[in-house]
Amino acid sequence: MPSIRTALLAAALPLLVHAAAHAQGSPPPRKRLDVITQGMTPAQVRALLGEPIRTSRDGRLTYLYYANGCVGCADDYVVVRDCRVVGARFDNPNRYVARADSMDATAPPPAECALAAAEPARPPVRLPDPLPADSLRHAPAGPRDLNPGGAPPAERRPLVAPDGPTAPGAPEAPAAALPQQDPRAWRAQLTLRRPVTHLVAVPAASISSPTAFGSQQGEAFVGAAYQARTRFTHLSDGAFVLGFGLGDRQRYVGLEVAATSYSTLRGGGPLQTGGLSFKLHRALSETWGAAVGYENALDWGGSDAGHSPYAVVTHIFRLKPDATQPVSALAATLGVGAGRFRTERDVVANRKTANVFGAVGLQVFEPVSVTADWNGQDLFAGVSVAPARRIPFVVTAGFADITRNAGDGPRFIVSAALGFRYLPPFFF
């Protein structure tokens, strides 16, 4: 029975490293607070956040993307319309977007409208209308607020003045008030035109061993697995899992909860035998994660999967800055655990020991990875594919017990998983 759980993990693990290998090479997350204010120009955004990792256009809207240091999330992005910031979405806790009660009606110089350092200057087409208060994600009051004294964000001095750097102590001309636009029209424009890379599927970084990345608030997944035969038998079997996340893995800590149904094809059918597993995980940076977990902390139906506590760390090595290039990333996982992670000899003798496990996953192409995984007992190896880039659906196939160190020989396993959100993005 433990082997069917290891096959099932291949279904869920691709979702737990979502966007880690996809995030393109960028500097480590900053410790200071970065506030983007409505009405800024692209040059002012670049002066504050640096060069974007990529840009895209959708009609009159332009998206400037920035890596957010959140493993498992889409990149942060700033929305620009006619050379002015009109909105943004940030998962990085050190970045906020603030509303401006009014904006400068003066057209910015063409140099202020360049989206990247190498891009030639181009004049703006027209000035945007101001956004209502509820159409932006504001910086909350408190220690993270750049302006705790209560002054409106529009009164802050811009990083780059229209005609050059602002001299210290120089007075600023009052901003001209612009007519307000219908809030519903702005909300529809900014929420319905999602960038096409908002959801990105990446292949698995492990087959049997858990990684240090997990689901957080608003994220969930379902998966199913099949193995041609179980250890020491000629009987096939299957299982499925449903999991969801709570908390914030970057600011605080995330909690992943997963319910697994074992012996789905035999031994009583679905939900007759199963277990409930938990994982506390933390994204330490864009490429590092750490977690502690307890597989089958609660079980029912006489499951023989066993209780398996563990601790694990995972690091993403970005081999190339562009995830679309071949051999762009490698994920390495190392952990220690009891239960199913013990050697087969210790399991048979019922010795309460701990053992080391680990996995290496190489992203050969953006949708394809190859993985080698030592789960503490034997070697697993396989190939993982994410067939649709915009749909977080991953299929993994391979073999278990390749070295015959445990069990009675190699066994074929295959799994599939689908990730989704159970809360809209504006809830977190």
Side-chain angles (χ1 to χ4, degrees), residues 370-411:
V370 293
T371 301
D373 187 333
W374 180 269
N375 71 339
Q377 294 188 1
D378 211 324
L379 180 65
F380 289 62
V383 178
S384 182
V385 178
R389 189 173 189 269
R390 301 189 189 183
I391 302 175
F393 175 72
V394 180
V395 178
T396 304
F399 291 88
D401 299 340
I402 295 177
T403 64
R404 300 176 181 267
N405 191 65
D408 57 341
R411 296 170 292 114

Side-chain angles (χ1 to χ4, degrees), residues 7-27:
L8 187 58
L9 285 173
L13 287 172
L15 309 175
L16 310 186
V17 295
H18 172 71
H22 172 74
Q24 300 178 2
S26 58

Side-chain angles (χ1 to χ4, degrees), residues 1-14 16 206-211 213-214 221 223-231 235-244 256-266 273-280 292-300 303-310 312 338-342 357 373 375 377 380 396 399-401 411-417:
M1 192 71 66
S3 58
I4 189 63
R5 174 171 180 81
T6 61
L8 187 58
L9 285 173
L13 287 172
L16 310 186
S206 175
I207 295 180
S208 173
S209 299
T211 72
F213 303 129
F221 59 89
Y226 168 83
Q227 59 177 339
R229 66 177 185 85
T230 60
R231 282 179 177 172
L235 301 175
S236 61
D237 201 1
F240 70 86
V241 65
L242 171 64
F244 64 93
E256 180 181 285
V257 182
T260 307
S261 172
Y262 302 113
S263 299
T264 302
L265 301 182
R266 60 182 180 85
T273 304
L276 196 62
S277 302
F278 303 91
K279 180 199 288 189
L280 283 172
V292 293
Y294 204 133
E295 294 181 357
N296 298 309
L298 303 174
D299 56 21
W300 64 87
S303 170
D304 62 352
H307 306 285
S308 304
Y310 64 88
V312 63
R340 74 175 181 91
F341 303 106
R342 298 172 295 167
F357 63 86
D373 187 333
N375 71 339
Q377 294 188 1
F380 289 62
T396 304
F399 291 88
D401 299 340
R411 296 170 292 114
F412 176 74
I413 55 176
V414 63
S415 60

Side-chain angles (χ1 to χ4, degrees), residues 20-87:
H22 172 74
Q24 300 178 2
S26 58
R30 306 176 182 182
K31 299 302 181 184
R32 63 185 177 87
L33 182 66
D34 296 328
V35 177
I36 297 299
T37 305
Q38 175 198 1
M40 279 185 170
T41 64
Q44 291 175 316
V45 174
R46 290 164 46 215
L48 188 62
L49 301 182
E51 292 297 321
I53 58 176
R54 67 184 185 282
T55 63
S56 68
R57 290 184 172 86
D58 183 5
R60 296 175 63 185
L61 298 180
T62 300
Y63 297 89
L64 309 181
Y65 295 89
Y66 292 89
N68 55 24
C70 173
V71 180
C73 304
D75 294 325
D76 288 347
Y77 59 86
V78 178
V79 185
V80 176
R81 179 182 178 185
D82 302 327
C83 198
R84 296 287 186 180
V85 171
V86 296

Side-chain angles (χ1 to χ4, degrees), residues 48-393:
L48 188 62
L49 301 182
E51 292 297 321
I53 58 176
R54 67 184 185 282
T55 63
S56 68
R57 290 184 172 86
D58 183 5
R60 296 175 63 185
L61 298 180
T62 300
Y63 297 89
L64 309 181
Y65 295 89
Y66 292 89
N68 55 24
C70 173
V71 180
C73 304
D75 294 325
D76 288 347
Y77 59 86
V78 178
V79 185
V80 176
R81 179 182 178 185
D82 302 327
C83 198
R84 296 287 186 180
V85 171
V86 296
R89 173 170 172 76
F90 294 147
D91 285 321
N92 190 316
N94 297 317
R95 296 172 182 161
Y96 295 108
V97 56
R99 176 180 61 90
D101 295 331
S102 60
M103 291 191 300
D104 190 352
T106 305
E112 293 290 298
C113 302
L115 303 179
E119 183 180 71
R122 55 188 181 87
V125 180
R126 63 180 296 275
L127 294 177
D129 297 325
L131 286 176
D134 60 350
S135 62
L136 294 173
R137 296 184 62 182
H138 305 284
R144 293 185 180 274
D145 195 342
L146 188 64
N147 193 29
E155 294 180 4
R156 289 196 293 270
R157 186 180 304 276
L159 295 176
V160 181
D163 295 326
T166 303
E172 296 180 25
L178 298 177
Q180 296 288 330
Q181 187 173 354
D182 182 7
R184 290 173 297 180
W186 271 111
R187 188 177 298 111
Q189 184 179 35
L190 294 180
T191 58
L192 295 181
R193 292 188 178 186
R194 293 290 183 185
V196 296
T197 56
H198 186 65
L199 290 177
V200 178
V202 295
S206 175
I207 295 180
S208 173
S209 299
T211 72
F213 303 129
S215 300
Q216 67 173 355
Q217 184 75 20
E219 300 173 352
F221 59 89
V222 293
Y226 168 83
Q227 59 177 339
R229 66 177 185 85
T230 60
R231 282 179 177 172
F232 305 107
T233 76
H234 295 285
L235 301 175
S236 61
D237 201 1
F240 70 86
V241 65
L242 171 64
F244 64 93
L246 299 170
D248 189 320
R249 60 182 162 238
Q250 183 177 6
R251 298 186 186 183
Y252 310 108
V253 66
L255 173 63
E256 180 181 285
V257 182
T260 307
S261 172
Y262 302 113
S263 299
T264 302
L265 301 182
R266 60 182 180 85
L271 302 178
Q272 295 298 312
T273 304
L276 196 62
S277 302
F278 303 91
K279 180 199 288 189
L280 283 172
H281 54 93
R282 181 80 161 88
L284 304 178
S285 70
E286 296 180 1
T287 57
W288 280 98
V292 293
Y294 204 133
E295 294 181 357
N296 298 309
L298 303 174
D299 56 21
W300 64 87
S303 170
D304 62 352
H307 306 285
S308 304
Y310 64 88
V312 63
V313 294
T314 299
H315 181 54
I316 306 297
F317 297 90
R318 291 179 182 144
L319 307 180
K320 294 181 181 178
D322 188 353
T324 62
Q325 297 179 353
V327 193
S328 59
L330 182 143
T333 295
L334 182 65
V336 59
R340 74 175 181 91
F341 303 106
R342 298 172 295 167
T343 64
E344 186 179 52
R345 182 177 303 175
D346 287 343
V347 172
V348 173
N350 198 27
R351 286 192 286 263
K352 306 300 182 181
T353 60
N355 199 20
V356 175
F357 63 86
V360 176
L362 178 64
Q363 194 170 14
V364 182
F365 301 102
E366 186 179 21
V368 180
S369 70
V370 293
T371 301
D373 187 333
W374 180 269
N375 71 339
Q377 294 188 1
D378 211 324
L379 180 65
F380 289 62
V383 178
S384 182
V385 178
R389 189 173 189 269
R390 301 189 189 183
I391 302 175
F393 175 72

